[in-house]
PDB file of all heavy atoms in Angstrom:
ATOM      1  N   SER A  95     123.730  34.312 135.845  1.00 31.00           N
ATOM      2  CA  SER A  95     122.752  35.137 136.562  1.00 31.00           C
ATOM      3  C   SER A  95     122.330  36.322 135.719  1.00 31.00           C
ATOM      4  O   SER A  95     121.315  36.927 135.973  1.00 31.00           O
ATOM      5  CB  SER A  95     123.352  35.644 137.851  1.00 31.00           C
ATOM      6  OG  SER A  95     124.532  36.405 137.603  1.00 31.00           O
ATOM      7  N   PRO A 118     112.646  29.860 124.860  1.00 67.00           N
ATOM      8  CA  PRO A 118     113.440  29.465 123.702  1.00 67.00           C
ATOM      9  C   PRO A 118     113.312  30.441 122.557  1.00 67.00           C
ATOM     10  O   PRO A 118     112.237  30.980 122.282  1.00 67.00           O
ATOM     11  CB  PRO A 118     112.805  28.097 123.305  1.00 67.00           C
ATOM     12  CG  PRO A 118     111.378  28.199 123.781  1.00 67.00           C
ATOM     13  CD  PRO A 118     111.453  28.993 125.066  1.00 67.00           C
ATOM     14  N   ALA A 134     118.813  34.292 104.117  1.00 92.00           N
ATOM     15  CA  ALA A 134     118.037  34.891 105.191  1.00 92.00           C
ATOM     16  C   ALA A 134     117.650  36.319 104.791  1.00 92.00           C
ATOM     17  O   ALA A 134     118.195  36.898 103.831  1.00 92.00           O
ATOM     18  CB  ALA A 134     118.830  34.912 106.485  1.00 92.00           C
ATOM     19  N   SER A 198     111.743  48.924 129.021  1.00 94.00           N
ATOM     20  CA  SER A 198     111.280  49.056 130.402  1.00 94.00           C
ATOM     21  C   SER A 198     112.244  49.940 131.168  1.00 94.00           C
ATOM     22  O   SER A 198     113.360  50.230 130.749  1.00 94.00           O
ATOM     23  CB  SER A 198     111.193  47.670 131.039  1.00 94.00           C
ATOM     24  OG  SER A 198     112.506  47.127 131.199  1.00 94.00           O
ATOM     25  N   GLU A 224     105.618  74.231 131.145  1.00 92.00           N
ATOM     26  CA  GLU A 224     106.728  73.473 131.750  1.00 92.00           C
ATOM     27  C   GLU A 224     107.597  72.815 130.681  1.00 92.00           C
ATOM     28  O   GLU A 224     108.829  72.764 130.807  1.00 92.00           O
ATOM     29  CB  GLU A 224     106.183  72.433 132.704  1.00 92.00           C
ATOM     30  CG  GLU A 224     105.550  73.041 133.974  1.00 92.00           C
ATOM     31  CD  GLU A 224     104.880  71.988 134.847  1.00 92.00           C
ATOM     32  OE1 GLU A 224     104.281  71.027 134.282  1.00 92.00           O
ATOM     33  OE2 GLU A 224     104.941  72.106 136.088  1.00 92.00           O
ATOM     34  N   MET A 461     122.687  52.164 102.372  1.00 98.00           N
ATOM     35  CA  MET A 461     123.161  51.279 103.449  1.00 98.00           C
ATOM     36  C   MET A 461     122.312  50.031 103.522  1.00 98.00           C
ATOM     37  O   MET A 461     122.821  48.897 103.658  1.00 98.00           O
ATOM     38  CB  MET A 461     123.120  52.021 104.779  1.00 98.00           C
ATOM     39  CG  MET A 461     123.529  51.192 105.982  1.00 98.00           C
ATOM     40  SD  MET A 461     123.178  52.007 107.561  1.00 98.00           S
ATOM     41  CE  MET A 461     121.371  51.914 107.569  1.00 98.00           C
ATOM     42  N   HIS A 519     164.832  70.392 115.135  1.00 76.00           N
ATOM     43  CA  HIS A 519     164.703  71.709 114.529  1.00 76.00           C
ATOM     44  C   HIS A 519     165.557  72.762 115.255  1.00 76.00           C
ATOM     45  O   HIS A 519     165.981  73.737 114.643  1.00 76.00           O
ATOM     46  CB  HIS A 519     163.214  72.132 114.466  1.00 76.00           C
ATOM     47  CG  HIS A 519     162.570  72.424 115.787  1.00 76.00           C
ATOM     48  ND1 HIS A 519     161.209  72.544 115.911  1.00 76.00           N
ATOM     49  CD2 HIS A 519     163.067  72.593 117.016  1.00 76.00           C
ATOM     50  CE1 HIS A 519     160.923  72.791 117.168  1.00 76.00           C
ATOM     51  NE2 HIS A 519     162.025  72.809 117.853  1.00 76.00           N
ATOM     52  N   GLU A 577     162.754  65.200 104.645  1.00 79.00           N
ATOM     53  CA  GLU A 577     162.214  63.964 104.111  1.00 79.00           C
ATOM     54  C   GLU A 577     163.091  62.831 104.593  1.00 79.00           C
ATOM     55  O   GLU A 577     164.319  62.913 104.600  1.00 79.00           O
ATOM     56  CB  GLU A 577     162.189  63.976 102.571  1.00 79.00           C
ATOM     57  CG  GLU A 577     161.198  64.975 101.967  1.00 79.00           C
ATOM     58  CD  GLU A 577     159.777  64.555 102.178  1.00 79.00           C
ATOM     59  OE1 GLU A 577     159.560  63.349 102.435  1.00 79.00           O
ATOM     60  OE2 GLU A 577     158.873  65.413 102.097  1.00 79.00           O
ATOM     61  N   ASN A 580     161.814  56.129 107.163  1.00 68.00           N
ATOM     62  CA  ASN A 580     161.867  55.614 108.522  1.00 68.00           C
ATOM     63  C   ASN A 580     161.709  54.104 108.512  1.00 68.00           C
ATOM     64  O   ASN A 580     161.273  53.496 107.549  1.00 68.00           O
ATOM     65  CB  ASN A 580     160.790  56.251 109.402  1.00 68.00           C
ATOM     66  CG  ASN A 580     159.404  55.900 108.907  1.00 68.00           C
ATOM     67  OD1 ASN A 580     159.168  55.766 107.719  1.00 68.00           O
ATOM     68  ND2 ASN A 580     158.465  55.784 109.826  1.00 68.00           N
ATOM     69  N   SER A 700     147.545  75.160 104.092  1.00 84.00           N
ATOM     70  CA  SER A 700     147.730  76.351 104.914  1.00 84.00           C
ATOM     71  C   SER A 700     146.556  77.292 104.634  1.00 84.00           C
ATOM     72  O   SER A 700     146.072  77.358 103.506  1.00 84.00           O
ATOM     73  CB  SER A 700     149.037  77.062 104.529  1.00 84.00           C
ATOM     74  OG  SER A 700     150.158  76.266 104.871  1.00 84.00           O
ATOM     75  N   VAL A 753     155.825  73.446  98.486  1.00 92.00           N
ATOM     76  CA  VAL A 753     156.217  74.835  98.705  1.00 92.00           C
ATOM     77  C   VAL A 753     157.661  75.087  98.279  1.00 92.00           C
ATOM     78  O   VAL A 753     157.977  76.129  97.674  1.00 92.00           O
ATOM     79  CB  VAL A 753     156.030  75.199 100.202  1.00 92.00           C
ATOM     80  CG1 VAL A 753     156.642  76.548 100.498  1.00 92.00           C
ATOM     81  CG2 VAL A 753     154.562  75.223 100.552  1.00 92.00           C
ATOM     82  N   ASN A 856     181.538 116.297 102.979  1.00 42.00           N
ATOM     83  CA  ASN A 856     180.079 116.138 103.223  1.00 42.00           C
ATOM     84  C   ASN A 856     179.657 114.685 103.230  1.00 42.00           C
ATOM     85  O   ASN A 856     178.882 114.256 104.030  1.00 42.00           O
ATOM     86  CB  ASN A 856     179.299 116.919 102.163  1.00 42.00           C
ATOM     87  CG  ASN A 856     179.498 118.408 102.301  1.00 42.00           C
ATOM     88  OD1 ASN A 856     179.807 118.905 103.379  1.00 42.00           O
ATOM     89  ND2 ASN A 856     179.309 119.146 101.194  1.00 42.00           N
ATOM     90  N   GLY A 888     196.533 107.539 114.958  1.00 42.00           N
ATOM     91  CA  GLY A 888     197.934 107.144 114.890  1.00 42.00           C
ATOM     92  C   GLY A 888     198.698 107.966 113.892  1.00 42.00           C
ATOM     93  O   GLY A 888     198.205 108.891 113.269  1.00 42.00           O
TER      94      GLY A 888
END
Side-chain angles (χ1 to χ4, degrees):
S95 59
S198 68
E224 290 174 325
M461 177 191 71
H519 69 194
E577 292 290 340
N580 63 327
S700 295
V753 171
N856 292 336

